Amino acid sequence: MIKLYNTLGRKKQIFKSLKKNKVGLYTCGPTVYNYAHIGNLRSYLFSDILKRMLEYNNYKVKHVINITDVGHLVSDADTGEDKIELGAKREKKTAWQIAEFYTKVFQKDIKKLNIKEPSEWTKASDYIKEQIDLIKLLEKRGYTYRIKDGIYFDTSKIKDYGKLTGSKKRTHKARIETTEGKKNPTDFALWKFSQKKRQMEWNSPWGIGFPGWHTECVVMGIDQLGLPFDIHTGGIDHIPVHHSNEIAQAEAGYNKNLAKYWLHNEFLILKKEKMAKSKGEIITLDSLIKKNINPLSYRYLTLTTHYKSPLAFSWKSLESAQNALENLYEKVSKLKLYHALYNSTVGNYKKEFLGYINDDLNTPKALALMWKLIKSNKADYDLLLEFDKIFGLDLDKIKSVSRQNKIPEKIKKLAKQREQYRKEKEWKKSDEIRKEIEKLGYQIEDTPQGPKLK
Ligand SMILES: [Zn+2]
């Protein structure tokens, strides 16, 4: 039995997929205008653990992460400049170049963190037609109005607008800045008109412009996963604005919930403030790597705190995580020697482990179980690999102490081939093989007793 905390309803619920053994999972992706900060990456580590847990329970997961390459303004409340166009100005590149560059950086970041690649990457700018179609539908159903700035969604027409926040109040702090002519502070832009020439703009029935940020995830989610789909994830900052607006559009357009379960991760806290780019403090993954920190140490750090709790970040806490991870690797390298000697204890402890992760992803408890077993000599290599299907710490790549010295058959074969070429005085060919052996991480040394492999 899997239990997940559903923000919609504000309680832990038993997870039941809409289709048998299949899960549709949508994660709000990055706005690709700058490097992601590590606080931002916590969201994707969280959705990765969620996906791994579902797969561990034999669900086939279709996971979609979108790329926001247009429409996200400096304020989530649809005011200020477009973040991508701003990035283009900053770096003297085109908006399209900025989006492409930072998309690639983001994709590399998540790979370094062992986050499984989603089944689909969807791009907001590939879905302009679908966004226009949804806005036309909302217009036809009477949910929109036009002001100087663009086409807006009238949130007062939705009876329980903002239900995701769990509050009956219709306004929220994030909406202090308001656009002239808006009927309600919570109303949001569906289509914004180009006030001046932009790089990213399109024709629409209402005039040249670009879609608002909150429409893209609705059309991409429905296109990829159907309506409704199972799980929508994102950071808690999405609850009052972005996700409330997604829910409102699906209900207005189709009388349906967009997703059955809404899961939100808490922030990474740096000096008592959430880590956000707008605050001017950016710690990127690459800046950790430059300090000789393994990206997986950051992954480990996030596992030590439940996703629904704020994670206090300090260099010291990251260092402790790195020490713990190195300690774990050392234990694994030793256990690897013996695992064939013991009967696997996988069956005995898998149930307890599963109990923790299936209980709303309790990774701190699962991690504590692992260490308890290691310390009491009850863990074996197979069991740790089993746990690592969720943790994703690359435990399968740890070499055992003795096996490090063992030369694989493939390398031996190459060495023999090289000897043959040397006998035939084919120096160029023998040299090529030597280079190949080196590429594979081994060295060949010619001694009076013949070649030796290291
Ligand atoms: Zn979104």
Side-chain angles (χ1 to χ4, degrees), residues 137-163:
L137 176 68
L138 296 172
E139 186 177 46
K140 212 173 93 193
R141 302 188 104 191
Y143 286 94
T144 69
Y145 61 92
R146 183 187 184 112
I147 56 175
K148 211 176 118 213
D149 177 70
I151 304 298
Y152 277 72
F153 186 100
D154 186 347
T155 52
S156 68
K157 300 229 159 129
I158 298 280
K159 232 168 77 191
D160 51 0
Y161 175 81
K163 62 183 165 187

Side-chain angles (χ1 to χ4, degrees), residues 294-310:
N294 181 348
L296 295 185
S297 301
Y298 178 59
R299 185 177 173 105
Y300 185 96
L301 178 67
T302 65
L303 294 172
T304 61
T305 303
H306 190 260
Y307 75 90
K308 281 191 62 57
S309 300

Side-chain angles (χ1 to χ4, degrees), residues 26 28 66 213 217 232 242-243 246:
Y26 187 95
C28 279
N66 70 287
W213 174 40
C217 292
H232 197 316
H242 186 51
H243 287 173
E246 286 184 22

